[in-house]
Amino acid sequence: MYINLFVEPSYEEDTVGFSVAIRGDNFRRPEQEFVPKIGDCSLEVDFHGDDVAPSCSDARKLQDPPKYIPLAQAQVLSGTLVREQGGILHTTFTVAATNGWTSAGASRTAFALPNVGTGYRSPDWTPTKEVFDAKELFDPDVSQLTVDYRNLQFDEKLEIAAPEPSGGDDDLTWVQTGSNSFRAHGSTIVLGMQERQSNITFIIGVLAGLVPLIVGWIHTRVKQRALPKHTRRRTKEQTSRGRT
């Protein structure tokens, strides 16, 4: 997962702390293969750009687990954003996962992306504070979430998706503004492969209808060959008279 984190330009201070809670066993990697370990987490995180002095705490290892249930199973990655030249507070980082988010069949691919976002908070509510280890965590006043999954192939069609993508029929991208969370899921179909499968199914259906006729004809031929010659001759003559 590639995460792009930035702060609303109206924020005037030169630094701001951030924390990202990451849940799910897919993100727990006991052996860090590519980057050094951060704190006591089993996350494998690679920061891009300026150093944000990251730290990480695993809720499963805390003596006092947080009261907010989702955080009790989370690993919380924290750091500090410093205003860059040009006036923005920004960082990007990649979090490795053990498994993908798709399950592919013959012509259909199903996807279920991780849940992203914050807890729900109406704009007129005061920020919700949660204590996590020695940190106080707050939901942001407003967040804009953009989940960019992938583009569809030229012969691929979106079958179902929830919520509905924001990027159009061929772009699996979701954009949401506010304080909430969502989990995008759905399925796609490769049209050419689906057509070939339909043709194969039709052929199998035709063959299935012909099988009883073919078996009956073979059975008749075998039965006739098993009869004595004079009986076969008499049977053939009777058949000829019957046709006449």
Side-chain angles (χ1 to χ4, degrees), residues 107 189-202:
S107 62
I189 289 181
V190 178
L191 297 178
M193 190 176 296
Q194 185 187 32
E195 183 178 350
R196 288 193 296 272
Q197 283 186 326
S198 299
N199 292 338
I200 292 172
T201 303
F202 172 75

Side-chain angles (χ1 to χ4, degrees), residues 12-13 39 44 47 82 90 127 130 161-162 172 213 238 243:
E12 297 180 353
E13 301 296 327
E44 193 162 3
F47 278 89
V82 179
H90 171 256
E130 295 292 341
L172 296 182
L213 298 177
Q238 291 173 352
R243 288 176 179 171

Side-chain angles (χ1 to χ4, degrees), residues 89-101:
L89 293 156
H90 171 256
T91 190
T92 59
F93 53 94
T94 301
V95 182
T98 55
N99 298 312
W101 316 111

